């Protein structure tokens, strides 16, 4: 018995309902940034799933980090490798004050 591949995918992002004040904006719906692996997924009520997805990334995988420095103040930052390879890196304070 296999569980849905989407339930453990890192590409799944929560959708926050800003109109739901009783639950303090806690997400109850999730959406994949690449879309669902099948059109049948949107109406699926099954407990098991046999689908595979080319965009699947396990949410249990460890990310690889690199150390970079803020271009403005020089503070060392730990960032996910593969992100911002060509761009400038700012710490939160410098980014908000630029």
């Amino acid at each position: 018995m296999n569980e849905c591949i989407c339930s453990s995918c890192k590409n799944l992002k929560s959708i926050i309902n800003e109109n739901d004040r009783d639950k303090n904006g806690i997400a109850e719906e999730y959406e994949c940034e690449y879309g669902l692996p099948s059109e049948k997924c949107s109406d699926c009520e099954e407990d098991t799933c046999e689908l595979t997805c080319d965009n699947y990334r396990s949410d249990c995988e460890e990310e690889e980090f690199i150390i970079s420095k803020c271009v403005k103040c020089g503070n060392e930052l730990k960032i996910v490798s593969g992100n911002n390879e060509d761009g400038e890196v700012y710490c939160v304070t410098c980014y908000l004050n630029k």
Side-chain angles (χ1 to χ4, degrees), residues 2 12 20 22 30-31 34 41-42 44 54 56 58 60-62 64 69 72 82 86 88-91 98:
N2 296 333
L12 206 61
D20 189 5
D22 297 335
Y30 296 89
E31 182 177 280
Y34 298 103
C41 292
S42 60
C44 182
D54 294 337
Y56 177 78
S58 174
C60 298
E61 289 178 8
E62 290 286 325
E64 290 186 33
K69 292 189 177 190
K72 193 168 182 182
D86 297 329
E88 297 177 328
V89 177
Y90 291 89
C91 68
K98 70 175 187 173

Side-chain angles (χ1 to χ4, degrees), residues 68-79 84 87-98:
S68 186
K69 292 189 177 190
C70 174
V71 296
K72 193 168 182 182
C73 70
N75 281 340
E76 285 190 351
L77 304 166
K78 187 175 171 182
I79 62 173
N84 295 334
E88 297 177 328
V89 177
Y90 291 89
C91 68
V92 174
T93 305
C94 291
Y95 181 79
L96 294 174
N97 290 328
K98 70 175 187 173

Side-chain angles (χ1 to χ4, degrees), residues 38-71:
S38 169
E39 291 179 16
K40 297 177 183 178
C41 292
S42 60
D43 299 327
C44 182
E45 297 290 331
E46 300 291 324
D47 292 332
T48 62
C49 184
E50 299 293 329
L51 290 175
T52 59
C53 180
D54 294 337
N55 299 309
Y56 177 78
R57 286 183 33 216
S58 174
D59 63 358
C60 298
E61 289 178 8
E62 290 286 325
E63 296 279 359
E64 290 186 33
F65 293 98
I66 59 172
I67 302 297
S68 186
K69 292 189 177 190
C70 174
V71 296

Side-chain angles (χ1 to χ4, degrees), residues 1 11 26 31 44 82-83 91:
M1 191 153 115
N11 294 321
I26 297 174
E31 182 177 280
C44 182
N83 290 350
C91 68

